[in-house]
């Protein structure tokens, strides 16, 4: 038949090993800094694959990881996936019951564990949920005292592996990886990544200016336990770039030191990481001169953060966008030709209101509640639907969720509400579930939150829908202030005025409650479900009823 | 099933149209310069697809093109491929009997013809060979006087096409394009390109520094009738770059004018084009300041040409490599990290002896006559084998050729003899068929030719094997001199001495014949087969027998 060979990760490992054998991988571990080359890496990857085969792992089996970003973890990425098994990265930050659900659902046969996370895993252990696990492998060359068994250290496990192990030619639909959504509502759902999904995502991560290039030094901050580390651990090998892995729970100081000492050029993380790093950099005068750009994703990046990095350190902080179901990256910010001449103010405006342009190779559309496409006018809101080779078309073991999320013609409904500028820049406004549906119209909770947080006294704010007889739903705001407040009524009025300055009057919250803190989920995002279930009580409903607009 | 949507060209057209609607396509036609945007382009692509459907073209049918690079041709690329049919680009430069073979073999149902090529096609017409052709479409808005029928002009043909035509979701193994090898031996062989092959090649053309980027202005010189124009007509749309199409048989002056007037940043062509352009640029002081780089491929690029461009015009001329069977690009030159510090001399050395590094996503190996891999030591010769998603695994309608060229595990044997440097740079030495096999060892005919052409008096030289009783084969050289030669014997000795300076004595040709010209094939390469069949006569064989080494 015509048509080329199946898409597979093996080709990337081949390229890294043969064309860029001397590129370095620098790994901060519990034992200190470890350095080796891609050539050494690849040999160990083959030993791991061979040892897994000897241990009985077969095509389609799952090998779980429970670890920070280190070289053992990166070895597991290629080693497990290229031998035909599936590397399942378990999110360290999940509550025990979610970990139990995930291990049981994925039926992991082996778990490869970071020694610094051993205690956490022991705590999450449940005999029934962990029934499938036949072997625990602890990264490093010693086995700490542990209740988990049977257990072996990683170095002993791969010692007899074959350094000349030959990877099979796999079909491109072979599942190669797996992650679970950190769903703020309900149990995490599994997403499988095939060889093709990884291959196409990795190629796409090399296409744009904001990609990873051969002469880059990538600080892989994005946790490898979080959506395949945004596929950057696969991409650095394919590109032959130098990789820096920051290890267990890195602090801003750890990151700054690695950036300075290893001449880091690119990195990606969630906005809070860059906030902490900025604060540290200001105190300690960090040298960012090697940096080409930082990508901020996972949630909206404040404009002020982008401006501060640029003005104080001449570092470009740009947005990326994606989700567990999309492998994950689908959009990245870059200015279009001609735009580079725009005034800096306008560019920051665009940057901060943009998840970016769609990466080549996929399609999207924005759909309203009637199922119709809305125009790219910078105003019309709708749900983002995506389709492409690295966008999933199925949740694992969850046919109902799949049916809800995937259309017959292969569109994945992201559940994100967006508007698109005439130039094609996507602005993520809210989660569909978090929108306040007031009188048939949508109020974007995230935008109201940002307006509320514009008040000097407010450090955190979350807006959720409250049931209302006439309007169906109305917004209520939960607010954390910097200091104790003497005149609550005055503060409420100031907040309402602030929202009314930027948005229609019917977007103004009808109830504002001061709280000590906003409940958060495993990835640090607000848990709106907890707020709706536990914070929206009779008294909030009454306040809303009193203050809601009459017409 | 898990796994994303099928790979298809539609996603690239979608991106170009929606994200970069205003990017320009500038087309030099028989009627003068034509300009429009990608938005207008995409609408006409849909009208063409719809009109083809109305004309009875179905999934899997073939639509041939016989044209230079213009906007109609580029519309046919996406229009035919995205509707599920196959665009078959016919090489204008082939002899009539090859064109007949190709049209008959591909069973083209429609031929879309450049009006300036109408006469050539009429000349090639053969009732039996062209039996499958049901419609001729002539680019432009008028039908010239022609013997071909039924015939319609392109603009009338698409006039009733639906501008809102919706492209189907095609399987990724759907053949989307087709080209024939311009085989210097035997009849051209067909290679089909699937949606997947095109998708992966286009993505790969956007990954490297030497790719096409959004802010590039691409002068698509590579003929669209030659291996899908190296897939650049697909890539510019995906990247949203500005495209410049140079139209019928462009001269060096035409190219220079387009480069200056349209601010061209990148282009690709065969070395002879860049030689002509250089000569013109010297006379006319062409302004190359907009140029980022030129890619030279198709045959080896002389070092002097690279140096001259750099020194005289500050233009980087770099190598690319590929072939009809590989969609075509598999290698591209770029310096590895750290190499940019090397002295210019060394870099030119590397550049001129290198087809480049393998592009991410495929694998290659170099195999000797025993089927064993040879080391990457910059010396060992072997045949280049490739495997990857945009490397074919089948010739069309030619099971014997397929069996010869494709291994059971999917490696395509290129027939090119190469050596690979320890850094992974591939140096193409010769065609397997053109090697001189002397006493069980290989003599690279191309290298000997280059040495011979180093003689001041020599303008062209071709080296071919001559049968020999003891050594099996020995080299003979056919040489074209600048001026009439007074002392042939002296010239022969000077040439032999020159070869012996750089190569072992047994590489020195045993016969050197002066000729008026070297026979060439359709793409301007030496036709070694004609030389062997017609020029190697009894007298040459005798001379070789006299002069061959004794031991």
């Amino acid at each position: 038949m015509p048509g080329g060979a199946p898409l597979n990760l093996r080709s990337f490992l081949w390229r890294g090993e043969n064309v860029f054998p001397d590129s370095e991988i620098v790994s901060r571990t519990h034992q200190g800094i470890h350095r080796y080359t891609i050539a050494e890496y690849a040999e160990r990857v083959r030993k791991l694959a061979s040892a897994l085969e000897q241990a009985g792992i077969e095509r389609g089996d799952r090998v779980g990881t429970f670890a920070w970003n280190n070289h053992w973890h990166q070895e597991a990425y290629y080693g497990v996936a290229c031998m035909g098994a599936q590397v399942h990265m378990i999110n360290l930050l999940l509550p025990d019951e979610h970990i139990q659900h995930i291990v049981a659902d994925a039926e992991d046969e082996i778990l490869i564990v970071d020694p610094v996370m051993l205690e956490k895993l022991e705590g999450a252990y449940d005999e029934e949920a962990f029934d499938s696990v036949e072997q625990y492998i602890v990264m490093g060359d010693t086995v700490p005292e542990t209740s988990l068994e049977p257990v072996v250290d990683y170095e002993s496990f791969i010692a007899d592996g074959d350094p000349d192990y030959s990877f099979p030619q796999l079909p491109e639909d072979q599942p190669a990886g797996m992650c679970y959504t950190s769903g703020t509502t309900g149990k995490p759902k599994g997403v499988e990544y095939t060889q093709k999904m990884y291959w196409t995502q990795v190629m796409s991560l090399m296409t744009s200016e904001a990609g990873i290039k051969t002469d880059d030094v990538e600080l892989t901050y994005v946790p490898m336990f979080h959506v395949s580390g945004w596929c950057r651990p696969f991409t650095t090998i394919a590109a032959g770039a130098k990789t820096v892995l920051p290890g267990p729970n890195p602090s801003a100081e750890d990151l700054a030191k690695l950036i300075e000492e290893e001449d880091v050029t690119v990195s990606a993380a969630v906005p809070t990481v860059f906030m902490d790093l900025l604060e540290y950099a200001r105190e300690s005068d960090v040298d960012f001169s090697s940096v080409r750009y930082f990508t901020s994703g996972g949630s909206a990046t404040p404009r002020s953060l982008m401006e501060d990095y640029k003005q104080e350190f001449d570092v470009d902080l740009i947005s990326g966008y994606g989700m567990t179901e999309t492998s994950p990256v689908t959009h990245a910010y870059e200015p279009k030709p001609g735009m580079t001449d725009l005034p800096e103010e306008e560019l920051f405006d665009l940057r901060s209101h943009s998840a970016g342009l769609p990466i080549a190779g996929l399609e999207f559309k924005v759909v309203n509640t009637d199922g119709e496409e809305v125009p790219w006018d910078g105003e019309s809101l709708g749900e983002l639907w995506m389709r492409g080779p690295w966008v999933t078309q199925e949740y694992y073991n969850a046919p109902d969720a799949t049916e809800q999320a995937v259309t017959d013609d292969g569109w994945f409904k992201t559940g994100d509400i967006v508007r698109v500028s005439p130039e094609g820049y996507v602005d993520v406004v809210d989660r569909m579930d978090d929108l306040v549906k007031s009188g048939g119209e949508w109020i974007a909770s995230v935008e109201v939150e940002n307006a509320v947080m514009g008040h000097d006294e407010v450090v955190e704010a979350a807006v959720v829908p409250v049931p209302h007889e006439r309007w169906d739903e109305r917004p209520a705001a939960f607010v954390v202030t910097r200091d104790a407040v003497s005149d609550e009524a005055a503060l409420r009025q100031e907040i309402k005025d602030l929202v009314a300055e930027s948005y229609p009057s019917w977007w103004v919250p009808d109830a504002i409650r001061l709280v000590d803190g906003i409940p958060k989920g495993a990835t640090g995002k607000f848990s709106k479900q907890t707020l709706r279930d536990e914070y929206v009580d009779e008294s909030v409903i009454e306040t809303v009823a009193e203050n809601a607009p009459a017409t």
Side-chain angles (χ1 to χ4, degrees), chain A:
Chain A
M1 83 165 195
L7 310 177
N8 58 63
L9 290 168
R10 185 188 61 190
S11 59
F12 296 138
L13 182 64
W14 175 87
R15 186 172 191 258
E17 177 176 15
N18 289 283
V19 185
F20 304 101
D22 302 329
S23 293
E24 255 189 318
I25 297 172
V26 182
S27 169
R28 177 178 166 268
T29 77
H30 62 288
Q31 297 168 319
I33 295 284
H34 175 272
R35 279 171 199 279
Y36 61 173
T37 63
I38 292 186
E40 293 167 282
Y41 167 82
E43 188 175 305
R44 285 170 54 88
V45 164
R46 280 193 298 272
K47 289 178 78 167
L48 171 63
S50 158
L52 288 169
E53 198 173 87
Q54 287 164 24
I57 294 295
E58 294 176 355
R59 195 173 292 193
D61 286 349
R62 295 208 181 85
V63 174
T65 62
F66 198 74
W68 292 99
N69 294 13
N70 58 40
H71 62 292
W72 297 293
H73 205 169
Q74 193 162 9
E75 287 170 12
Y77 265 56
Y78 271 102
V80 175
C82 288
M83 71 163 289
Q86 220 173 331
V87 54
H88 167 212
M89 305 81 161
I90 303 169
N91 190 332
L92 307 179
L93 305 178
L94 291 177
D96 291 351
E97 58 269 32
H98 281 187
I99 294 173
Q100 287 156 15
H101 163 68
I102 281 175
V103 172
D105 193 53
E107 299 176 85
D108 294 315
E109 306 211 356
I110 286 180
L111 289 182
I112 305 178
V113 190
D114 197 322
V116 307
M117 294 310 296
L118 206 47
E119 208 180 308
K120 163 91 178 167
L121 192 64
E122 286 166 350
Y125 179 83
D126 172 89
E127 197 175 336
E128 201 182 313
F130 282 52
D131 184 48
S132 60
V133 182
E134 291 173 7
Q135 175 79 65
Y136 297 87
I137 301 173
V138 181
M139 293 166 171
D141 53 10
T142 52
V143 180
E145 188 64 31
T146 175
S147 58
L148 299 171
E149 55 174 356
V151 64
V152 62
D153 67 272
Y154 186 99
E155 297 301 330
S156 301
F157 182 76
I158 70 165
D160 293 331
D162 178 4
D164 298 318
Y165 176 86
S166 173
F167 291 110
Q169 178 85 323
L170 300 167
E172 65 187 39
D173 285 330
Q174 180 75 43
M178 186 175 204
C179 288
Y180 281 76
T181 62
S182 53
T184 40
T185 57
K187 282 189 180 166
K189 292 189 290 283
V191 176
E192 293 187 284
Y193 306 111
T194 62
Q195 293 280 342
K196 172 172 132 181
M197 291 169 81
Y198 276 146
W199 192 96
T200 54
Q201 167 81 110
V202 169
M203 288 297 276
S204 76
L205 290 179
M206 290 190 284
T207 55
S208 78
E209 261 312 296
I212 296 177
K213 309 203 170 300
T214 299
D215 51 5
D216 272 324
V217 178
E218 147 80 354
L219 172 63
T220 306
Y221 177 83
V222 182
M224 289 193 196
F225 58 74
H226 185 237
V227 206
S228 318
W230 299 359
C231 280
R232 297 174 80 94
F234 290 125
T235 309
T236 47
I237 302 293
K242 176 178 167 181
T243 304
V244 181
L245 303 168
N249 205 12
S251 67
E253 185 181 351
D254 295 327
L255 296 180
K257 215 169 130 188
L258 288 170
I259 289 168
E260 288 181 329
E261 288 177 1
E262 305 298 337
D263 294 322
V264 166
T265 63
V266 295
S267 188
V270 292
T272 48
V273 170
F274 290 116
M275 291 178 196
D276 294 348
L277 182 61
L278 178 67
E279 211 149 308
Y280 177 81
R282 282 169 174 161
E283 288 162 16
S284 309
D285 200 21
V286 174
D287 178 7
F288 285 126
S289 59
S290 59
V291 174
R292 194 158 69 80
Y293 71 89
F294 288 145
T295 301
S296 176
S299 60
T301 306
R303 174 188 173 128
S304 60
L305 190 66
M306 294 175 163
E307 287 176 328
D308 291 350
Y309 265 101
K310 187 69 186 174
Q311 282 152 17
E312 296 173 39
F313 295 95
D314 197 25
V315 167
D316 281 309
L317 189 66
I318 56 179
S319 304
Y321 170 78
M323 50 180 56
T324 308
E325 293 87 339
T326 61
S327 297
V329 188
T330 60
H331 292 69
Y333 175 81
E334 57 180 322
K336 292 168 81 168
M339 277 193 181
T340 38
D341 299 336
L342 288 180
E344 208 171 49
E345 274 299 297
E346 271 182 57
L347 277 176
F348 275 123
D349 227 34
L350 182 66
R351 258 206 226 179
S352 59
H353 281 99
S354 167
L357 298 174
I359 293 175
L362 51 76
E363 300 164 289
F364 77 78
K365 58 183 180 180
V366 182
V367 175
N368 66 17
T369 43
D370 299 327
E372 286 160 0
E373 272 196 76
V374 305
W376 293 11
D377 56 10
E379 289 183 8
S380 304
L381 295 178
E383 188 186 13
L384 180 66
W385 291 17
M386 289 199 280
R387 184 166 63 183
W390 62 94
V391 177
T392 194
Q393 300 187 321
E394 183 186 84
Y395 286 107
Y396 179 69
N397 243 350
D400 290 350
T402 299
E403 201 181 324
Q404 256 192 338
V406 182
T407 70
D408 289 342
D409 47 354
W411 289 99
F412 174 75
K413 305 180 193 172
T414 64
D416 272 349
I417 300 299
V418 305
R419 58 169 80 90
V420 186
S421 80
E423 294 80 22
Y425 289 90
V426 172
D427 184 10
V428 180
V429 172
D430 211 341
R431 287 293 297 165
M432 186 98 160
D433 294 338
D434 296 338
L435 283 173
V436 181
K437 288 102 182 172
S438 174
E441 300 288 336
W442 288 345
I443 298 171
S445 65
V446 175
E447 307 225 335
V448 179
E449 284 161 9
N450 285 340
V452 174
M453 284 194 276
H455 192 288
D456 279 347
E457 274 305 305
V458 175
V459 288
E460 277 183 345
V463 169
V464 293
V466 173
H468 186 272
E469 207 176 345
R470 172 168 183 161
W471 303 114
D472 197 18
E473 292 179 354
R474 289 293 304 156
F478 294 89
V479 167
V480 181
T481 56
R482 196 174 309 274
D483 307 301
V485 173
S486 53
D487 186 346
E488 278 200 31
L491 177 69
R492 281 199 197 97
Q493 194 52 51
E494 285 165 26
I495 289 174
K496 288 184 177 190
D497 292 345
L498 204 56
V499 176
E501 263 179 35
S502 309
Y503 296 100
S505 62
W506 56 276
W507 280 43
V508 174
D510 293 330
I512 296 174
R513 287 281 189 278
L514 302 194
V515 290
D516 292 337
I518 311 274
K520 300 197 179 67
T523 55
K525 296 180 191 169
F526 294 156
S527 173
K528 300 254 173 132
Q529 195 58 45
T530 312
L531 279 169
R532 291 162 81 155
D533 292 347
E534 295 170 22
Y535 288 56
V536 176
D537 54 18
E538 273 310 310
S539 118
V540 173
I541 294 175
E542 269 170 38
T543 309
V544 164
E546 274 166 36
N547 295 323
T551 52

